[in-house]
Amino acid sequence: MTGGTVILGIGSPFGDDRIGWAAAEAIRAASWYGALQPRLRVVALDRPGVGLLAEMAHADQAIVIDAMRTGALPGTVRRLVTDDLDAPAPACSGHDVGVIATLHLGRALDLLPRRLALFGIEITAGDAAGAEPNFDPAPPLRAALSSVLALVHEELLASG
Amino acid sequence: MSESRTIGIRVPALARVEGEGALEIDIRGGRVESARLRIFEPPRLFEKLLEGRRYDEVPDIVARICGICPVAYQMSAVAAIEDAFGTAIEPAVRAWRRAMYCGEWIQSHALHVHLLAAPDFFGAASVLELAARHPEAVRRGLGLQRLGNDLIGLFGGRSVHPVGVRVGGFHRAPSASDVAALLPRLRAGIVDAAELIEWVGGFSLPDDDQAFVDVALRDRAEYPMYAGDIASGAGLLIPASDYETRFEEHQAPHSTALHALLDGTPYLVGPLARLNLNIDRIPPPLRALLDQVGLVLPCRNMFASVVARAAEIWLALHEAVAILEHHDSAARPSVDVEPRAGTGAAATEAPRGLLWHRYETDAAGCIVRARIVPPSSQNQARIEEDLKTSLEAYGLERPEADLRQRAEMVVRNYDPCISCATHFLDLRIRRS
């Protein structure tokens, strides 16, 4: 699809790190989702690394949703655009090239859509976060999904 | 005469390898006293997780072992289970599995070459710095990675619910129109891959020839990916079912991983080992490209692994085109599977090297016991041996920062996939 908007829920099978997938599911089930078809696509991705750039190529707008770790209260939701972010330390591994590093790389290579917003959902602190495969995200994160939905909807309406 | 220097080099978090790993090197009296690669791997978690699962759940579970090479894990798994059940797959399915594997080689190698290896050769700390100086090369690399992912996607994709491969075949056949859409992109990719070989062929590689034993599959007619017997540079040639008679795993005292040894010695798996043992299977146009950049096979310099990976990207694209040009979308995607109690084993060539699976099944087709030997743990003993040899040859009197950089590059040559850590956005926010 050329143009339009793509929403990318990023995650991995491990506990809190599934929250991006849960957000993608919730958006597809949202009451307003159907009315925005066919110019809105929602994709859930497992540890895409720099493959994220290919997923947002050709779109006018991309919204990325992922678990984040900033030290805020679990379930805190934050909206960011790439200009808000410091470049991180050099990437540690191919699939640990997280979303932030990937977006910086995309910007350096002129591969990003015109409009891009990133929603981070704060994970549970400590070892509990994402320790087990195939466990659901912790309650504070699941509770944050309704705010995420509202923020994403606002983002979509603002871009017209 | 070298000084009696005592240095401890600690690299607590290795940069630009997959997952997390740490390095400890002790230098004393002009020698490398020890080199230990510490691995933080969920110890045997997945082998245990598979016990009690039905055979048809296995592909989805093992696909989650590695975020970078899920296809490899699925391939070795279904081949081993089919061996246990005596299930014979169709020739079309065999070809599709090979083509899907091509996709994973392309995306994994492209990722490694551009994000992990190349920065070192330009004095760049990361691909971000490299992109500022050589945006065209990095864009080309990302394009190849995307092409590899799309080739995998032809057969089932890498979404959060990886589908595609199943015991007995595939869930569905790729459509003629999807194949037709991809073919021109694959052909164009071969041109990019040739340019890539030329680019990496111009890297200034350290001269670091060493003696080591190559281990890879050896197939009747093809460059090995999905099938073949296990061969070594010392004349070994055994079926996958005999792996445990010659290869043994020992618990390394300093890590959770197991060191694998062939007849008691370390060995190399991966692209350079594959090329070295399959010189006669390299397509002539690729031989010509490698001759042009001066890669002489067999090659004993691990720094040439970056060229080996570029070569295998070319080869995988060439293979995929050859297979898909004869695609039959009407071919049966799978055969009926009759589970039975038994034991099966299989080895396939993951991007990083030989990946061996063994399963014991019960009459209902549930897994009783699983053994999975990844390529990166098979290379661990070799990496530690390499570090000693390489750093001593490099010169232990050099500044510590230089020794550290060389040590990291030595490890990166092996493209080790150390763990599949979870990931979170690690955010630092600038407020204005």
Side-chain angles (χ1 to χ4, degrees), chain A residues 14 17 21 50 54 67-69 78 80 83-84 86 88-95 99-100 104 109 123 130, chain B residues 15-19 68 111 115-116 125 128 131 135 139 142 145-146 160 422-431:
Chain A
F14 308 99
D17 205 23
W21 297 351
V50 293
M68 74 179 179
R69 174 175 51 205
R78 193 164 252 158
L80 299 142
D83 285 341
D84 288 333
D86 286 326
C92 286
S93 86
H95 68 239
V99 172
I100 310 305
H104 279 286
L109 295 173
I123 57 164
Chain B
R16 287 188 271 118
V17 294
E18 301 297 344
I68 291 287
L111 185 81
L115 265 66
L116 306 184
L128 197 54
R139 257 190 237 113
L142 293 184
Q145 199 220 359
R146 177 185 187 170
V160 302
T422 56
H423 76 282
F424 303 103
L425 289 174
D426 219 331
L427 243 43
R428 267 157 290 157
I429 298 170
R430 180 174 65 235
R431 298 187 190 284

